[in-house]
Amino acid sequence: MAIEVRKVILEGVSDASGLAALVDEGVFAADEVIAVVGKTEGNGGVNDFTRILADQAFRKVLMEKGTRPVEDVGKIPMVWSGGVDGVLCPHATVFARVDAPPSDEPRLTVGIAMSDAILPEDIGRVAMVEKVAEGVRRAMKDAGIDDPADVHYVQTKTPLLTMETIVQARARGNTVITEETLRSMDISNGTSGLGIAVALGEIEMPTNEQICHDLSLYSAVASCSSGVELDQAQTVVVGNARGVGGRYQIGHSVMDDALDIDAVYEAIRNAGLDIPERAKAEDLDGRVVNMFCKCEADPTSRVRGRRQVMLNDSDVHHHRQIKGTVGGVVSAAVGDPAVFVSVGALHQGPSGGGPMIAIVDHG
């Protein structure tokens, strides 16, 4: 089985017409869709319900146009990241398994898994690292990947803390890592990043004291998101394998800071596309399906030696400022504002930077 991957634009909060059109045109069947990764237009915070609206719209299409039972459609990983600040455009990348002749070239393969339930008291602690790591290993097996070096992108969606789940933990006699629900988003993302790094052998199992504190620990391929709509880690592992067929390849690089436009082109080259040393958007010839990256405001409040003030801004949260900044850099590099840029990059790439992933269509 090969992977077909397409990007569709969301023309409204609950718009799934792009997915419906792909099914109607025969690009893939509804029952062949295995995962969706997308950006929605909400605030990206704890109360960003645009993620739920998009999720419902896409699952509705799959139920109406497919034959899978409702419960099976409900298990399809759909990772929605809220917030399209700046020029970013709401969109979704859809992955489907289709029949295709095998290829001797490395081609895109995808594996999916759901972790064991992540309790509110697990978030920010080793228990969550272990559960995420086990989910990643299961997703690698599903993708047919044995060598972690063949993994170029791991997208997770994990729970964050709400006042309701905090109360539930207390009722069980347990504590939670924080009672600030927005802060729990970064903590959940960071803990997931460490789980990915452990599963891929990038680091050893961290201690509770190192989680969200030791910034030297990170995964170079992790992209972690969190929300209120689930209590497990949804995991999508994307890599390359020979013999799977199809025409797509994935690659990655690491963005050292918010202005690292070279990392975009390095990821594209790593995905097998031959481009000039000093590349520009026109050199890509429409071959880039999508870019996926994580970013964060540099905790030193400096970018290339220049002082930054976004971490001091009490009016506009730094999440929104850095997302808009990096979104502009990546959009300019590929000539398309429909790129996946997500914040909260703790333990996902180096401090102040983040992983950069490219999927390329080799025709």
Side-chain angles (χ1 to χ4, degrees):
M1 300 294 287
I3 298 296
E4 182 65 42
V5 54
R6 296 293 181 96
K7 179 167 65 180
V8 297
I9 304 303
L10 275 62
E11 298 293 350
V13 179
S14 296
D15 176 40
S17 61
L19 172 62
L22 290 174
V23 175
D24 291 342
E25 293 164 7
V27 175
F28 46 69
D31 290 347
E32 293 175 326
V33 173
I34 59 170
V36 176
V37 178
K39 292 292 300 182
T40 66
E41 60 199 79
N43 61 19
V46 175
N47 64 335
D48 184 353
F49 301 111
T50 65
R51 297 183 296 230
I52 297 175
L53 294 172
D55 192 276
Q56 291 174 339
F58 272 64
R59 293 187 198 276
K60 182 180 179 182
V61 168
L62 296 182
M63 287 186 286
E64 290 178 346
K65 294 185 177 293
T67 62
R68 283 182 284 192
V70 172
E71 56 269 24
D72 289 350
V73 173
K75 295 176 183 177
I76 297 170
M78 292 194 182
V79 180
W80 297 101
S81 172
V84 284
D85 301 85
V87 299
L88 291 173
C89 172
H91 70 280
T93 304
V94 184
F95 299 88
R97 281 199 180 114
V98 298
D99 286 321
S103 172
D104 291 332
E105 296 296 323
R107 288 294 180 258
L108 191 74
T109 181
V110 176
I112 59 176
M114 299 290 285
S115 77
D116 294 338
I118 295 175
L119 302 175
E121 53 264 40
D122 295 337
I123 295 173
R125 292 166 176 157
V126 168
M128 181 175 177
V129 176
E130 293 173 337
K131 290 178 179 180
V132 171
E134 183 54 34
V136 172
R137 295 185 188 105
R138 291 204 297 264
M140 284 180 62
K141 184 177 181 180
D142 185 54
I145 296 176
D146 298 319
D147 187 350
D150 292 327
V151 176
H152 293 273
Y153 176 33
V154 181
Q155 178 69 58
T156 60
K157 184 78 175 187
T158 53
L160 47 72
L161 292 171
T162 66
M163 290 312 301
E164 289 78 10
T165 58
I166 291 171
V167 170
Q168 291 168 13
R170 288 176 183 158
R172 289 190 289 269
N174 296 315
T175 63
V176 293
I177 196 71
T178 181
E179 296 190 0
E180 296 179 30
T181 56
L182 182 58
R183 182 167 179 261
S184 78
M185 179 180 292
D186 283 342
I187 293 173
S188 180
N189 291 352
T191 312
S192 298
L194 291 176
I196 293 166
V198 167
L200 299 181
E202 295 174 286
I203 63 170
E204 299 295 327
M205 180 64 72
T207 64
N208 281 327
E209 291 72 27
Q210 288 176 300
I211 296 173
C212 298
H213 290 96
D214 186 349
L215 301 186
S216 69
L217 304 178
Y218 65 82
S219 170
V221 298
S223 176
C224 306
S225 184
S226 52
V228 300
E229 62 267 35
L230 74 175
D231 63 0
Q232 298 168 280
Q234 290 183 343
T235 304
V236 181
V237 166
V238 190
N240 296 315
R242 297 181 188 275
V244 296
R247 64 178 198 259
Y248 303 97
Q249 190 173 343
I250 189 169
H252 79 278
S253 65
V254 174
M255 184 172 54
D256 291 327
D257 62 33
L259 301 179
D260 191 1
I261 194 170
D262 289 336
V264 179
Y265 298 122
E266 289 169 8
I268 293 169
R269 291 188 190 96
N270 190 242
L273 190 63
D274 185 18
I275 55 177
E277 182 178 352
R278 299 304 302 172
K280 54 185 183 298
E282 291 78 7
D283 298 320
L284 306 181
D285 195 28
R287 294 297 187 92
V288 175
V289 178
N290 208 358
M291 303 295 304
F292 306 83
C293 73
K294 293 291 293 189
C295 60
E296 64 174 1
D298 196 306
T300 67
S301 291
R302 297 268 171 176
V303 173
R304 302 193 181 184
R306 302 296 193 185
R307 187 171 73 96
Q308 304 292 296
V309 298
M310 67 180 76
L311 289 170
N312 293 329
D313 196 330
S314 299
D315 296 314
V316 181
H317 195 273
H318 60 85
H319 275 183
R320 311 198 72 164
Q321 297 190 47
I322 195 65
K323 191 189 306 174
T325 300
V326 175
V329 170
V330 179
S331 298
V334 299
D336 184 359
V339 290
F340 186 93
V341 179
S342 177
V343 291
L346 196 61
H347 297 309
Q348 301 149 75
S351 181
M356 181 70 65
I357 296 108
I359 294 178
V360 167
D361 183 349
H362 285 279

